[in-house]
Structure formats: C-alpha cells, structure tokens
Amino acid sequence: MRRPSPAGSVPTTSVSVRSRGAIAIEAALLLILLALLPQTLDLGDDARRFPLVTTLVLLVLLTLDLVIELVPAARSRLHFLESDIVANAGASPEQPAVDESGSGDAGAGREPQHREFTIWGALAWLTGAGLGMYYVGYLVTTPVFLALFFLWARVPIKVAVAITVVLSLFNFVVFYQYLGLR
Amino acid sequence: MPRGAPPGGGAPGDGSGPLEKGRSVADAILEALGTLTSWPNILIPLLGTVLGMIVGAMPGLGPAAGIALIIPITYGWEPEQALLLLASMIGGTSFAGSITAILVNTPGESSNAATLLDGHPMAKKGQASTALAISATSSAMGAVFGLAVFVAILPFSRELILKFSYPETFMVAVVGLFIIALVSRGSLVKGLIAGGLGFMISFVGRDLVTGETRYTFDSLFLEDGINYIAVLIGLFALSEGLALLLEPDKPASERRLGTQAHWRQIREGAAFCVRFPRIVLQSSAIGTICGVIPGVGGSVSSFLSYAAAKQGAKDPDSFGTGDPRGVAASEAANDAKDGGALLPTVAFGLPGSATWAVVLGAFLVHGIAPGREMLTEHLDVVFLIIGGLLISNVLTSLIGLGLSPVLAPIARMPGVYVAPVIFVISLVGAYTIGLRRGDILVALIAGVAGFVLKKYGFGLVPIVLGLILGELVEESLGQTLLTLGAGALVTRPISLTILLLGATAFTLPLLRNRIARRRGRDQDSRQDENDRETGGVR
C-alpha cells in the first residue's frame, strides 16, 4: 500500500491512476538520464565521478520501481521497498492527515461565490504569474495578475481589492523603493 | 563608547591568554552588559528582531541576503551597535521562517524545510497555534542551549575546531544521505529516486574542484548552478499554492477558532517542550555540533535532528502526519546551530554558515578581526553578540506566541485567497535571491514538477536533501582528497565516529523492524500449530 508524501495536500487519486502517473514519470526520467549519459561520460574523471555514479544508481532504481509498478509478482516480493524504513513493524500504515476535515462536507457552510479550479486552470494561472514576473517584472505583474485572478475567480471585491493593494504596495515600498530591486 | 578588555597578558600560545583568566572574561561580560543596557543600544535587539522576522518570513530573501542589505545602514554606527543589530537579526530569522512553513507549507528559510513536515499537517488539523507555540518555545530553548555550549567551550575552542576539517564535513554529509531514506515516507525506492534527482540537479553548473561545466547546455545562467532556494520555493510553496487552489474549502465553522481556543493551544504547545525535554535537548545538541562544523548549515542539522527524533520514537509512523515532536526537533536544532556556528566564526574567522560569512564581512567592515584578537581585545563584542542572539531569540519567540492567534487562521483560509498571495510572494522571493530572472523560471518549473511528483507518490523532501547534500558531499570529498588524502576519512577519530554513529542510526531501525517481523511470524506459526493441534477449531 502506498501513501502520499507527508507534505502533500494534493487531492488523493486512485491507485491505478497514481501508478500510471508514476510509470509515466519514471519512464520520462529514464529517457532523460539515458540522454544525459553521453554528456556525463564526456566529462573529465574528477568531474564525472559523482554524476556518473548517481546516474547509474538512478537508472537501477528507476528500472526497479518500474518493475515493481508493472509486475504484480515483483511487487509482492519487494513489498519491503514500498514501506518506511522507520516504521512500526506490524502497524498498519495510517492515512495522512490531509484534508480529512474538509472532505465529504465541502458544501456545508462554505462561501459559494468563487469559481472552482481545474488542474490545468491552476497551472495556467501559475505559469502566467511566473512568465509575467520573468518578462515584465514583479512591479507590474503583481497588481495585474492579482486583479485578473480575483476577477476570474469571482472573489468578493473587498477581499480582492485589499489583497491586491496591500501586496502591490508592499512590493513597491519594500522591494522597489527601499531595497532597490529592479 | 569605551571598548576593549585589556589585552591578554600571555604570549601567543602559552596558554595564559585572557580566556584562561576568569577575571578578564567577567570583565568582558560586564562590559558587554553595560553596552547592551545603555541608551539607545537597548532598543537595537528589538529592531534587529523585527527586521530579522520580516526577512525570515519572506521566502527567498534568506538571512544572509537580508543582513547583507542592512550592513550599509550600519556604516556610521559604532561597531558594537552594528554587530548587536546583525546578531539580533540572525536570532529573528530562524523562528520567523517556521511561521510560513507551518501556515502555508512554505519555509521562510531552507533550514525551516524540516519544520513543514509536521508543522503544516498540524495546521491543517486545526492545531496551527500549537505548532507555532512549539516552534517558538523549542527555538528559544535551542538557542539558549547553543549559546550556553558556546560559552562553555569558548576557552578551548581553538583545539576543538582544529579537529573538524573536510573529512568530518564529508562524513556529516554522508550521514545526511541516510536521512533521505529515513524521511522517505511511503515508497523507499521513490524516496531514493527523488534524492537522486536532487543530487543530479546539484551537479548542474561549474564543478567547484575541476572548474569543468556540467549539464549547462551552453547557458551562462546554468554555469552558476541551480540555486537550491529557488528550487525549494518552487517545490514547496508554488506546489502548495496549486494544491490549495484545487482543494475544496473548509466549512466556515471549521475555519473559525475562538481566541480562548487559540490561547489554550498556545499553552499546550509551550508546555509540550517542557514535558518532552529529551527531544529538545537531543536536537539542540545535534544543531550545535552541526553549527560548529563549517559548511554543514541549518538545513542538514534540522533534518538530522528530525530523523533522530523519528528514529528514536516508539511510534515513528506518526511523524509526517502532524507530530509535535517533529516541529520541536527541527526548530530546536535550527536555532541551536547559531551558537555552534558562532564558534568557528569568532575563533578562526571561519564562518559556520552563509549567514555568518556575511556577519564576518561586517566584522571586517567595522575593523574587528576574528581570531585571537577577537578572543582577547574584543571579547566584550563576542559577549555582546551572544547577548543580541539570546535576547532576539527570546523576543522573537514571545512575539511569535503573541501573534499566533492572528496568524493561525491563515492556514484555514480559502485556497483562492491564499494561493495567489503565495504565487506572488514566492516568485518575487525567487527573484530576490540573486536578482536573476532565471531563478523565477527555476522556481516555476520546480513548482509544477513538485506538484506532479507529489501527486504521484514521490517525496519532495528527499529532492531538497539531495540538492543540498550533493554539493556538500562532492565539495568536501574533493577537498579531502586534495588536501589530506582518502585515508583521512577513516583514520581521523571524529570522522570515523560520525560515520559509525550514522551507520548505527540507519541500521538500528532496520534491525528493529526485522526482529519485530520475525516475532510476528513466530507468533503466527505458533498460532498455526495450536490450530492444527486443536483441529482448526478456534
């Protein structure tokens, strides 16, 4: 049985979806490492010592995990690699304390005003903010991004204005004026 | 302002320097106290603490950068005032970084990354005030411990520090690698893969020993390497922002906690550290030792303490799900390391961390040379720095406790309010690291990658550990091989001891689990035999 990372707060997904995602990630990493291998071998002896060892170890680990994911018989034989090193022997793995309180009761007592986000929507907003900061700079991007985001998400106007003004002013006064970050 | 204890009477190296004379130390302490309590110096620790807390709570703007920005302001100040301000800032940053780690899964400093492992789950369970109180109390206790050790070993600091060199740094880093396995919740293989990925990212850029460029694809930006703070901001802060946008809001009734409930949580959190002193003392000791070893830094010490606390617990499974011991362990170590790091800085001019390297620069700007001169003529300044650190650590904890009821509700606010703020602060924070726009892209890519990796069962902490330790392992091994030879790794007693301790810490839980499993199997087989004897009737 696999558990999500402790710092995680990502909504849980079914095991099969998680396995497919993990397999795709591991296959992609395997390809990237194989593509980097010639570069690693071209390095001088001292410079390639650690990268080469790490690449080879990673290739072995990725292959091993792919086998665990794809071959059920291997999964049952190698189950000890799927658990914590430091764990209560015999204790059943607990579910993480992620969002338990909020799940199943999402509708009760919550503010319904704002728009729901999809994964792609959330990624698009983050990418927009990042690219805006990169190309235009933080001083312009901060108010523009926040205003557009809150308008799109239909956040109550008072909250939207308060956050946008406070954060934009903070960036202007502290970073731009006082610290002189251009 | 009058300054300078009488120069020590003894000749260099004859063992009769001022540190060996109790009266000189007492004079220096009294002089430092006089300076500290005089007007307007008495206000400086408060100013430094507030500045430090602001710097500490901002992801990206680390204490080193924050202090570097303040140094020019102190040019016209008396040296004592300037160093008091900087020391107070250091004390302020350590705890403040844990506030954002606990509330929004975004460590203010890299050394607060271990705090979020349990601090943020606690906040999600509605125990943000408890977590903040534990962090504040253990930070103050750790700082006092570290500074007490510093004062205790100051007289023989030179002999002690000379015993630590590259092999010891390498061994601490190797022990740190064991932590990757210890903190990998869920699949061990995926944890190791994540650690390896962190290692690979640390290799990008110019090799510090040979000067050869690796995986740079002819990019000038990549030649400087990938800044791990930008990766950290992306992995934790931005991926958390994405996750917040996708979670359903908590019911409004759950988001509100009465003032009395907050103060009850704060009392519980503060009492926790007193009720479980072993965790705080053990972590403070680890933090102090890591602080003494140059280059090891706060991140490694926090994770080492976290792993030690988890490994020593009877119920290690609860770590990572909101266990208060995890918060206490990482924060006590994080603040205790400052006392340890002060030792090589003042005794040898060998900074224990990047922050102390900047403070060392401030020493020189103000005409105070570290080393023998600092321990003789300017011993009062050393005690003034200790005073600044001590006061600011206590002040920052008190301020943190006072602000907890105001700050804690942030953890339970709707994601749609918090996420864009996290995006903006994190991306600006990534830019402030080195004023390189490329760091914004690094944070962005790390954020998306972190979100995807976390979603599919890969740990993010091992990536950060691999990233931090990769450089440390490679650099310290290279320096060891160049200066002392490979034999030094196993012939120097401290180096060997660190390795053996690390190996023991790693193998003990494995053995414990194996024995427990065997006992379980024996019990099962006995049960089967009984079943056969009784004809399978239970």
Side-chain angles (χ1 to χ4, degrees):
Chain A
M1 184 165 177
R2 208 172 291 112
R3 285 166 285 160
S5 72
S9 53
V10 177
T12 50
T13 50
S14 72
V15 173
S16 61
V17 171
R18 278 189 60 176
S19 287
R20 278 206 300 274
I23 289 165
I25 289 171
E26 285 172 355
L29 288 175
L30 209 62
L31 289 175
I32 292 170
L33 286 171
L34 286 172
L36 287 175
L37 198 56
Q39 260 200 52
T40 310
L41 291 169
D42 280 347
L43 293 167
D45 281 347
D46 287 333
R48 78 174 174 201
R49 185 192 301 130
F50 277 97
L52 189 58
V53 170
T54 310
T55 305
L56 295 177
V57 170
L58 266 177
L59 287 173
V60 170
L61 287 171
L62 285 166
T63 312
L64 181 68
D65 209 43
L66 277 173
V67 170
I68 291 172
E69 296 279 2
L70 292 169
V71 185
R75 186 180 298 183
S76 59
R77 289 189 75 86
L78 298 170
H79 68 95
F80 63 92
L81 291 173
E82 291 283 277
S83 57
D84 287 8
I85 275 195
V86 183
N88 285 333
S92 60
E94 84 288 11
Q95 291 302 310
V98 178
D99 307 329
E100 284 158 358
S101 54
S103 59
D105 189 26
R110 52 181 276 214
E111 291 93 325
Q113 302 97 325
H114 67 78
R115 203 191 282 252
E116 299 290 328
F117 281 82
T118 61
I119 287 185
W120 293 110
L123 282 172
W125 278 108
L126 171 61
T127 310
L131 293 180
M133 297 270 181
Y134 182 80
Y135 286 110
V136 186
Y138 67 93
L139 205 60
V140 176
T141 302
T142 300
V144 172
F145 165 74
L146 289 174
L148 289 177
F149 179 92
F150 288 134
L151 276 175
W152 188 87
R154 297 197 203 114
V155 167
I157 193 76
K158 279 183 187 170
V159 179
V161 170
I163 295 176
T164 307
V165 169
V166 168
L167 215 53
S168 303
L169 270 178
F170 179 81
N171 275 351
F172 178 72
V173 174
V174 176
F175 289 119
Y176 192 81
Q177 288 284 76
Y178 181 69
L179 299 177
L181 304 185
R182 300 291 189 265
Chain B
M1 132 187 1
R3 174 164 61 88
D14 67 358
S16 60
L19 277 178
E20 285 77 24
K21 293 182 181 176
R23 192 173 165 273
S24 293
V25 173
D27 285 348
I29 292 173
L30 285 176
E31 198 166 342
L33 267 176
T35 310
L36 194 59
T37 49
S38 65
W39 184 263
N41 296 358
I42 197 161
L43 291 180
I44 291 176
L46 181 64
L47 176 67
T49 304
V50 173
L51 285 174
M53 287 186 79
I54 293 169
V55 167
M58 276 189 221
L61 192 67
I67 289 170
L69 288 166
I70 295 296
I71 287 177
I73 297 171
T74 68
Y75 282 157
W77 293 24
E78 291 284 337
E80 292 87 348
Q81 292 174 327
L83 296 178
L84 185 59
L85 179 80
L86 301 182
S88 307
M89 276 188 77
I90 292 177
T93 54
S94 305
F95 164 68
S98 74
I99 297 175
T100 47
I102 290 167
L103 297 180
V104 284
N105 207 31
T106 306
E109 316 300 338
S110 60
S111 54
N112 300 113
T115 307
L116 60 79
L117 290 175
D118 280 293
H120 191 58
M122 280 184 79
K124 294 210 139 209
K125 287 196 278 190
Q127 300 168 348
S129 291
T130 312
L132 288 170
I134 291 171
S135 171
T137 316
S138 55
S139 290
M141 289 168 78
V144 171
F145 181 95
L147 291 171
V149 170
F150 170 81
V151 174
I153 60 178
L154 191 61
F156 27 86
S157 55
R158 297 181 78 86
E159 292 77 10
L160 182 81
I161 293 165
L162 280 175
K163 293 192 188 304
F164 289 98
S165 187
Y166 304 126
E168 285 72 29
T169 306
F170 174 73
M171 283 306 174
V172 170
V174 169
V175 172
L177 291 180
F178 295 149
I179 308 172
I180 291 179
L182 291 172
V183 298
S184 298
R185 289 185 62 79
S187 165
L188 173 63
V189 182
K190 283 192 174 59
L192 294 176
I193 289 171
L197 282 179
F199 245 66
M200 287 301 288
I201 299 169
S202 78
F203 299 139
V204 175
R206 200 168 282 282
D207 179 26
L208 290 173
V209 180
T210 63
E212 213 170 330
T213 54
R214 299 181 296 198
Y215 311 125
T216 57
F217 306 99
D218 298 326
S219 156
L220 279 176
F221 172 77
L222 290 178
E223 272 193 26
D224 288 340
I226 292 180
N227 191 297
Y228 75 89
I229 306 284
V231 178
L232 191 92
I233 287 173
L235 284 179
F236 290 108
L238 294 179
S239 71
E240 178 66 16
L242 285 172
L244 277 173
L245 280 183
L246 298 173
E247 339 184 292
D249 289 345
K250 291 184 172 55
S253 57
E254 276 189 30
R255 292 205 304 268
R256 294 192 189 100
L257 205 60
T259 311
Q260 281 189 336
H262 275 299
W263 285 110
R264 192 180 61 243
Q265 283 196 4
I266 289 167
R267 278 197 302 276
E268 283 170 6
F272 175 86
C273 299
V274 182
R275 277 192 288 121
F276 296 92
R278 191 185 66 83
I279 294 268
V280 177
L281 287 175
Q282 172 187 292
S283 307
S284 303
I286 292 172
T288 310
I289 293 168
C290 286
V292 172
I293 306 173
V296 171
S299 313
V300 179
S301 71
S302 300
F303 278 110
L304 267 178
S305 306
Y306 181 85
K310 181 180 178 182
Q311 196 259 357
K314 285 180 184 154
D315 52 345
D317 265 355
S318 67
F319 277 73
T321 63
D323 193 312
R325 291 169 295 181
V327 179
S330 60
E331 281 303 308
N334 186 24
D335 278 64
K337 66 130 192 351
D338 287 333
L342 185 59
L343 205 60
T345 310
V346 298
F348 278 100
L350 196 63
S353 63
T355 311
W356 284 107
V358 176
V359 176
L360 193 65
F363 284 170
L364 301 175
V365 164
H366 287 282
I368 295 174
R372 185 169 177 81
E373 189 191 344
M374 186 129 192
L375 296 178
T376 52
E377 289 176 48
H378 302 308
L379 192 58
D380 60 316
V381 176
V382 174
F383 284 106
L384 198 61
I385 292 170
I386 293 172
L389 278 170
L390 201 61
I391 292 171
S392 65
N393 271 294
V394 175
L395 266 181
T396 196
S397 297
L398 289 175
I399 294 172
L401 287 173
L403 288 177
S404 288
V406 183
L407 296 171
I410 293 172
R412 303 177 78 77
M413 280 171 76
V416 75
Y417 299 171
V418 183
V421 178
I422 292 178
F423 289 166
V424 168
I425 292 178
S426 302
L427 291 167
V428 176
Y431 176 59
T432 59
I433 299 167
L435 298 187
R436 302 187 308 169
R437 291 198 175 187
D439 284 331
I440 297 174
L441 289 186
V442 169
L444 185 62
I445 293 166
V448 177
F451 177 77
V452 174
L453 288 171
K454 194 161 70 175
K455 190 174 165 69
Y456 294 111
F458 292 87
L460 301 184
V461 173
I463 299 180
V464 175
L465 274 173
L467 192 52
I468 294 168
L469 294 172
E471 194 178 331
L472 195 61
V473 166
E474 194 176 24
E475 204 181 318
S476 55
L477 181 67
Q479 286 161 334
T480 303
L481 296 179
L482 280 174
T483 55
L484 299 163
L489 294 170
V490 285
T491 53
R492 290 167 66 96
I494 294 182
S495 162
L496 191 61
T497 308
I498 294 170
L499 179 66
L500 291 175
L501 282 175
T504 311
F506 182 71
T507 47
L508 260 182
L510 285 174
L511 284 173
R512 206 164 55 185
N513 279 359
R514 206 180 174 86
I515 290 166
R517 269 203 300 272
R518 184 167 291 174
R519 276 187 192 149
R521 273 205 302 272
D522 289 348
Q523 277 177 353
D524 287 348
S525 60
R526 271 199 299 274
Q527 185 67 49
D528 289 344
E529 278 173 24
N530 286 341
D531 287 350
R532 275 198 295 274
E533 283 168 12
T534 57
V537 179
R538 287 176 189 233

mmCIF file of all heavy atoms in Angstrom, chain B residues 175 178 182 311 496-512:
data_model
loop_
_atom_site.group_PDB
_atom_site.id
_atom_site.type_symbol
_atom_site.label_atom_id
_atom_site.label_comp_id
_atom_site.label_asym_id
_atom_site.label_seq_id
_atom_site.Cartn_x
_atom_site.Cartn_y
_atom_site.Cartn_z
ATOM 1 N N VAL B 175 26.201 11.051 6.363
ATOM 2 C CA VAL B 175 25.154 10.693 7.327
ATOM 3 C C VAL B 175 23.829 11.341 6.893
ATOM 4 O O VAL B 175 22.762 10.739 6.999
ATOM 5 C CB VAL B 175 25.547 11.146 8.758
ATOM 6 C CG1 VAL B 175 24.383 10.962 9.718
ATOM 7 C CG2 VAL B 175 26.746 10.343 9.236
ATOM 8 N N PHE B 178 21.827 9.294 4.633
ATOM 9 C CA PHE B 178 20.990 8.260 5.258
ATOM 10 C C PHE B 178 19.601 8.824 5.571
ATOM 11 O O PHE B 178 18.619 8.102 5.589
ATOM 12 C CB PHE B 178 21.616 7.760 6.570
ATOM 13 C CG PHE B 178 22.923 7.040 6.390
ATOM 14 C CD1 PHE B 178 23.904 7.091 7.365
ATOM 15 C CD2 PHE B 178 23.178 6.289 5.258
ATOM 16 C CE1 PHE B 178 25.106 6.431 7.222
ATOM 17 C CE2 PHE B 178 24.378 5.623 5.098
ATOM 18 C CZ PHE B 178 25.349 5.696 6.081
ATOM 19 N N LEU B 182 15.518 7.793 5.700
ATOM 20 C CA LEU B 182 14.732 7.860 6.938
ATOM 21 C C LEU B 182 13.494 8.751 6.805
ATOM 22 O O LEU B 182 12.489 8.506 7.456
ATOM 23 C CB LEU B 182 15.607 8.369 8.095
ATOM 24 C CG LEU B 182 16.714 7.412 8.567
ATOM 25 C CD1 LEU B 182 17.615 8.106 9.568
ATOM 26 C CD2 LEU B 182 16.134 6.166 9.190
ATOM 27 N N GLN B 311 13.542 8.406 14.494
ATOM 28 C CA GLN B 311 14.159 7.100 14.676
ATOM 29 C C GLN B 311 14.067 6.633 16.124
ATOM 30 O O GLN B 311 13.933 5.452 16.399
ATOM 31 C CB GLN B 311 15.616 7.195 14.214
ATOM 32 C CG GLN B 311 16.304 5.891 13.985
ATOM 33 C CD GLN B 311 17.187 5.541 15.159
ATOM 34 O OE1 GLN B 311 17.315 6.310 16.101
ATOM 35 N NE2 GLN B 311 17.782 4.372 15.097
ATOM 36 N N LEU B 496 35.541 9.124 11.744
ATOM 37 C CA LEU B 496 35.142 7.718 11.858
ATOM 38 C C LEU B 496 33.943 7.576 12.803
ATOM 39 O O LEU B 496 33.000 6.819 12.524
ATOM 40 C CB LEU B 496 36.326 6.896 12.373
ATOM 41 C CG LEU B 496 36.177 5.379 12.314
ATOM 42 C CD1 LEU B 496 35.982 4.912 10.893
ATOM 43 C CD2 LEU B 496 37.404 4.695 12.921
ATOM 44 N N THR B 497 33.985 8.334 13.904
ATOM 45 C CA THR B 497 32.874 8.272 14.873
ATOM 46 C C THR B 497 31.565 8.717 14.223
ATOM 47 O O THR B 497 30.520 8.081 14.401
ATOM 48 C CB THR B 497 33.169 9.186 16.089
ATOM 49 O OG1 THR B 497 34.456 8.852 16.582
ATOM 50 C CG2 THR B 497 32.137 9.007 17.181
ATOM 51 N N ILE B 498 31.630 9.812 13.449
ATOM 52 C CA ILE B 498 30.414 10.309 12.782
ATOM 53 C C ILE B 498 29.856 9.238 11.852
ATOM 54 O O ILE B 498 28.656 8.960 11.829
ATOM 55 C CB ILE B 498 30.708 11.614 11.999
ATOM 56 C CG1 ILE B 498 31.084 12.748 12.956
ATOM 57 C CG2 ILE B 498 29.496 12.031 11.165
ATOM 58 C CD1 ILE B 498 31.618 13.990 12.267
ATOM 59 N N LEU B 499 30.762 8.581 11.101
ATOM 60 C CA LEU B 499 30.325 7.545 10.164
ATOM 61 C C LEU B 499 29.660 6.386 10.910
ATOM 62 O O LEU B 499 28.590 5.907 10.514
ATOM 63 C CB LEU B 499 31.517 7.036 9.346
ATOM 64 C CG LEU B 499 31.187 5.924 8.347
ATOM 65 C CD1 LEU B 499 30.276 6.451 7.247
ATOM 66 C CD2 LEU B 499 32.444 5.330 7.737
ATOM 67 N N LEU B 500 30.316 5.950 12.001
ATOM 68 C CA LEU B 500 29.768 4.816 12.747
ATOM 69 C C LEU B 500 28.416 5.159 13.371
ATOM 70 O O LEU B 500 27.493 4.349 13.346
ATOM 71 C CB LEU B 500 30.763 4.377 13.845
ATOM 72 C CG LEU B 500 32.051 3.727 13.316
ATOM 73 C CD1 LEU B 500 33.014 3.437 14.452
ATOM 74 C CD2 LEU B 500 31.736 2.448 12.544
ATOM 75 N N LEU B 501 28.324 6.388 13.910
ATOM 76 C CA LEU B 501 27.042 6.816 14.502
ATOM 77 C C LEU B 501 25.939 6.837 13.447
ATOM 78 O O LEU B 501 24.827 6.369 13.678
ATOM 79 C CB LEU B 501 27.181 8.205 15.131
ATOM 80 C CG LEU B 501 27.860 8.279 16.495
ATOM 81 C CD1 LEU B 501 28.018 9.738 16.920
ATOM 82 C CD2 LEU B 501 27.042 7.529 17.536
ATOM 83 N N GLY B 502 26.289 7.365 12.279
ATOM 84 C CA GLY B 502 25.313 7.446 11.194
ATOM 85 C C GLY B 502 24.878 6.060 10.745
ATOM 86 O O GLY B 502 23.686 5.803 10.549
ATOM 87 N N ALA B 503 25.865 5.172 10.583
ATOM 88 C CA ALA B 503 25.547 3.812 10.138
ATOM 89 C C ALA B 503 24.675 3.109 11.171
ATOM 90 O O ALA B 503 23.724 2.402 10.822
ATOM 91 C CB ALA B 503 26.839 3.035 9.907
ATOM 92 N N THR B 504 24.979 3.329 12.455
ATOM 93 C CA THR B 504 24.171 2.713 13.512
ATOM 94 C C THR B 504 22.747 3.258 13.472
ATOM 95 O O THR B 504 21.773 2.500 13.567
ATOM 96 C CB THR B 504 24.785 3.026 14.900
ATOM 97 O OG1 THR B 504 26.174 2.730 14.836
ATOM 98 C CG2 THR B 504 24.145 2.195 15.984
ATOM 99 N N ALA B 505 22.641 4.577 13.336
ATOM 100 C CA ALA B 505 21.317 5.196 13.304
ATOM 101 C C ALA B 505 20.491 4.662 12.135
ATOM 102 O O ALA B 505 19.271 4.567 12.213
ATOM 103 C CB ALA B 505 21.440 6.709 13.203
ATOM 104 N N PHE B 506 21.168 4.329 11.041
ATOM 105 C CA PHE B 506 20.477 3.846 9.849
ATOM 106 C C PHE B 506 20.061 2.389 10.002
ATOM 107 O O PHE B 506 18.960 1.997 9.627
ATOM 108 C CB PHE B 506 21.396 4.004 8.639
ATOM 109 C CG PHE B 506 20.765 3.571 7.345
ATOM 110 C CD1 PHE B 506 19.756 4.323 6.771
ATOM 111 C CD2 PHE B 506 21.179 2.425 6.704
ATOM 112 C CE1 PHE B 506 19.163 3.923 5.587
ATOM 113 C CE2 PHE B 506 20.598 2.022 5.521
ATOM 114 C CZ PHE B 506 19.592 2.779 4.962
ATOM 115 N N THR B 507 20.976 1.575 10.553
ATOM 116 C CA THR B 507 20.708 0.132 10.577
ATOM 117 C C THR B 507 19.828 -0.291 11.751
ATOM 118 O O THR B 507 19.128 -1.287 11.663
ATOM 119 C CB THR B 507 22.031 -0.668 10.633
ATOM 120 O OG1 THR B 507 22.860 -0.095 11.639
ATOM 121 C CG2 THR B 507 22.739 -0.649 9.313
ATOM 122 N N LEU B 508 19.853 0.489 12.840
ATOM 123 C CA LEU B 508 19.059 0.103 14.021
ATOM 124 C C LEU B 508 17.568 -0.082 13.713
ATOM 125 O O LEU B 508 16.997 -1.114 14.059
ATOM 126 C CB LEU B 508 19.229 1.134 15.133
ATOM 127 C CG LEU B 508 20.226 0.761 16.237
ATOM 128 C CD1 LEU B 508 20.274 1.846 17.295
ATOM 129 C CD2 LEU B 508 19.891 -0.574 16.870
ATOM 130 N N PRO B 509 16.932 0.906 13.042
ATOM 131 C CA PRO B 509 15.521 0.702 12.760
ATOM 132 C C PRO B 509 15.257 -0.491 11.857
ATOM 133 O O PRO B 509 14.244 -1.173 12.005
ATOM 134 C CB PRO B 509 15.093 2.004 12.076
ATOM 135 C CG PRO B 509 16.282 2.810 11.889
ATOM 136 C CD PRO B 509 17.392 2.216 12.643
ATOM 137 N N LEU B 510 16.191 -0.740 10.914
ATOM 138 C CA LEU B 510 16.030 -1.902 10.038
ATOM 139 C C LEU B 510 16.035 -3.185 10.861
ATOM 140 O O LEU B 510 15.192 -4.066 10.690
ATOM 141 C CB LEU B 510 17.172 -1.953 9.012
ATOM 142 C CG LEU B 510 17.117 -0.960 7.853
ATOM 143 C CD1 LEU B 510 18.382 -1.053 7.029
ATOM 144 C CD2 LEU B 510 15.911 -1.257 6.977
ATOM 145 N N LEU B 511 17.023 -3.258 11.790
ATOM 146 C CA LEU B 511 17.122 -4.446 12.631
ATOM 147 C C LEU B 511 15.883 -4.583 13.520
ATOM 148 O O LEU B 511 15.341 -5.667 13.680
ATOM 149 C CB LEU B 511 18.379 -4.353 13.518
ATOM 150 C CG LEU B 511 19.712 -4.630 12.818
ATOM 151 C CD1 LEU B 511 20.867 -4.342 13.754
ATOM 152 C CD2 LEU B 511 19.757 -6.088 12.361
ATOM 153 N N ARG B 512 15.455 -3.410 14.064
ATOM 154 C CA ARG B 512 14.299 -3.428 14.959
ATOM 155 C C ARG B 512 13.050 -3.939 14.219
ATOM 156 O O ARG B 512 12.314 -4.766 14.731
ATOM 157 C CB ARG B 512 14.051 -2.005 15.474
ATOM 158 C CG ARG B 512 13.359 -1.959 16.804
ATOM 159 C CD ARG B 512 13.491 -0.615 17.429
ATOM 160 N NE ARG B 512 13.013 0.461 16.565
ATOM 161 C CZ ARG B 512 13.115 1.743 16.856
ATOM 162 N NH1 ARG B 512 13.704 2.111 17.976
ATOM 163 N NH2 ARG B 512 12.671 2.658 16.051
#
